[in-house]
Amino acid sequence: MNKNYLSHWTLLFLFSAFFSACNPEKNDPMPVAAEDVVKKAIFDSMKEWYFWESELPLTFDVTKYNSNEELLDALMFKPLDRWSYLTTRAAFDASFTGQTTGAHGFSFAFDQQERLFVAFVYDESPAGKDGWKRGWQIVEMNGKPISDYKNSQGGYSFSLGANEVGVSNTFKFKLPDGTESTRTILKGAFQTNSVLHKQVNEIGGKKVGHWVYQSFKATAGLTPTRSQEVDDLFTYFQAEGINELIIDLRYNGGGSVAVTEQILNYIAPNSANGNTMYTNKHNGNKFSNNRTVNFAKKGNLNLSRVIFITSRGSASASELLINCLEPYMDIVLIGDNTYGKPVGSFPLSGFNRSLSSNNVELVPITFAIANSQGRAEYFDGFPVNFPVGDDPAKNWGNPEERRFKAAMEFIENGTVNARMMTEFYRPKWEMIDAFEGLQKEFPLY
């Protein structure tokens, strides 16, 4: 196993790290039935790499489990682990670089009145090319009002067909100007964008960069691993000469740790250069893979603070970004408390022939990560300074969009209007507590 394999898959959505070596797959002297080979490989890989390896049994009867998923569920350290999962290598690779197949390319969110709105749209998706925007209210799907999709538990079940290219659905919208529009589109294959919105505003003599970021995705084909979108974004902000920055992570469930490092090096003040960005810790078997990463300042921004817009869906790499900056600059959180995922993963099929030959990708929790002050135990998430509810009825950059308005108000006045905080509510999508490795908080349709 060469070193490039691990350095390529630096994740936090799945946090991750670089490694210098890997152990060859161990030869088991006991014969294993063909149908149990993958199950045995999952257990062996967990014993070698799992962060909570000490909680696993020394031996394990894999024949008791009917599926790989059932076996992994039995092995997971449930008090803390909500994230280890199984997938295929192709699905994992596509997710890492944002390639999507069989979707319309949008997500939606409810407001306080349980009205349904488009929450965000990918530019190159069928929905994006059809001109859909955040803030469009969805009043019907396939001729049925949204209320018809409500289930007996009080939630909503939306069935829009198989995740295959060519599947058609029809949506009726109420647009911000009060008019209605009905659109029929097909599911397609497309490259997602991570930067959903960027702009520069002026307030109180300050130039404020506003950036809506949906996922820490790497750009396919770039070496070292990084995001071209991020480089382009900071080129724009530097040319504009911003001296304040609002980063909107409300729909960001994580992504590549290499991209997180890239962003941190742009944002951190000059005084952080050369100092510790983060350290990570593996299980006792992999102690030699522990490492410390230092800041290597990029660009000419020298900000003294960052305002983050967050939600219960802001997880993993989003929290790493916040945690690593906190020792070096003022951090303000507006919105809702973050998710709470201070641990990370990387794919293990490259270390086990049985997994790779059977196209099984195992992505368990493999390490914890801490900032320069040793802060690593934030399983309850980061609390916000100013609780403000989401406002999906308004598009990005709208000065009246609740969370953006609160962030601009803080920059101008040093506080947020108390009325905005007393009106705080937690939308349905922000209460979802099932984070299964992929971004389930914001299902893509």
Side-chain angles (χ1 to χ4, degrees), residues 174-186:
K174 182 177 181 180
L175 305 182
D177 64 3
T179 62
E180 292 186 342
S181 177
T182 299
R183 310 290 182 95
T184 298
I185 61 171
L186 306 180

Side-chain angles (χ1 to χ4, degrees), residues 89-161:
R89 187 49 185 262
F92 183 90
D93 289 351
S95 177
F96 187 77
T97 56
Q99 301 162 54
T100 297
T101 299
H104 296 307
F106 75 101
S107 188
F108 47 59
F110 287 93
D111 72 354
Q112 193 170 9
Q113 289 78 44
E114 290 199 23
R115 297 179 300 174
L116 188 64
F117 292 88
V118 174
F120 63 84
V121 183
Y122 292 120
D123 293 345
E124 296 301 313
S125 70
K129 290 183 175 180
D130 195 44
W132 297 21
K133 302 293 182 184
R134 172 180 168 85
W136 287 17
Q137 183 184 353
I138 306 171
V139 294
E140 290 182 5
M141 292 185 187
N142 295 321
K144 296 167 57 178
I146 300 306
S147 58
D148 282 7
Y149 291 89
K150 197 164 189 175
N151 58 40
S152 58
Q153 288 76 43
Y156 290 81
S157 300
F158 298 106
S159 179
L160 298 179

